[in-house]
Structure formats: C-alpha cells, structure tokens
Amino acid sequence: MWGRVRCKCGRFMKKEGMSLATYVSGGCVEYECSRCGARAEFWSRAGVDDELSSAVWIRGEEERRLEFNYKSWEWRVT
C-alpha cells in the first residue's frame, strides 16, 4: 500500500491485518516481522484510507516513528 516495510532486524515485514477508515475513525494497516515479532502500524485519516496520518514501529514497550526512504522505496525505523 505505501511501499515495503523493513524491520530493524533487517527482514521485510509481512502484512497482517487491515481495518478500513470510517467517518469517525481512521483506518489501520498492520505489519509484523516473522523473525523478531516487531509490529508496524500505519494509520490513515478519518474517512480516507489512502491519506497517511502516522506510521509507528512497535516492539514490546518501545515505540518509534517510521520514515520513508525514497532511494530504496521502503519504510525504515528512525
């Protein structure tokens, strides 16, 4: 949907789930790493599934932002 997602451990993450945006809440696309179990979530604005509002990488209690790398066309942890 928004390019590939590379985990901090180096492996590409697999798309696990998706919830569509409604008029009240935004949608969410979830990715998970099969090696270390880390998750990434991409949230869209309310009412629009194709307008990204935030991208977060989650592992345990740690939370970081994801940034898009235009050279490799993938998301990476900052």
Side-chain angles (χ1 to χ4, degrees):
M1 186 173 210
W2 293 294
R4 300 178 298 182
V5 182
R6 186 179 292 273
C7 185
K8 196 171 182 178
C9 71
R11 181 170 275 186
F12 284 109
M13 300 176 99
K14 183 175 87 171
K15 187 175 176 181
E16 285 294 315
M18 179 177 165
S19 62
L20 297 175
T22 64
Y23 182 74
V24 177
S25 66
C28 179
V29 179
E30 300 169 353
Y31 289 82
E32 189 170 352
C33 179
S34 61
R35 180 185 290 169
C36 69
R39 293 183 304 124
E41 295 178 351
F42 293 87
W43 289 89
S44 63
R45 278 187 341 118
V48 200
D49 279 322
D50 60 352
E51 190 173 326
L52 184 66
S53 68
S54 66
V56 181
W57 181 82
I58 302 169
R59 175 150 189 211
E61 298 299 317
E62 183 181 8
E63 225 178 87
R64 292 187 179 178
R65 288 176 16 114
L66 291 168
E67 287 188 2
F68 193 73
N69 183 336
Y70 287 96
K71 290 182 180 179
S72 61
W73 203 252
E74 64 190 24
W75 289 90
R76 293 191 175 181
V77 179
T78 57

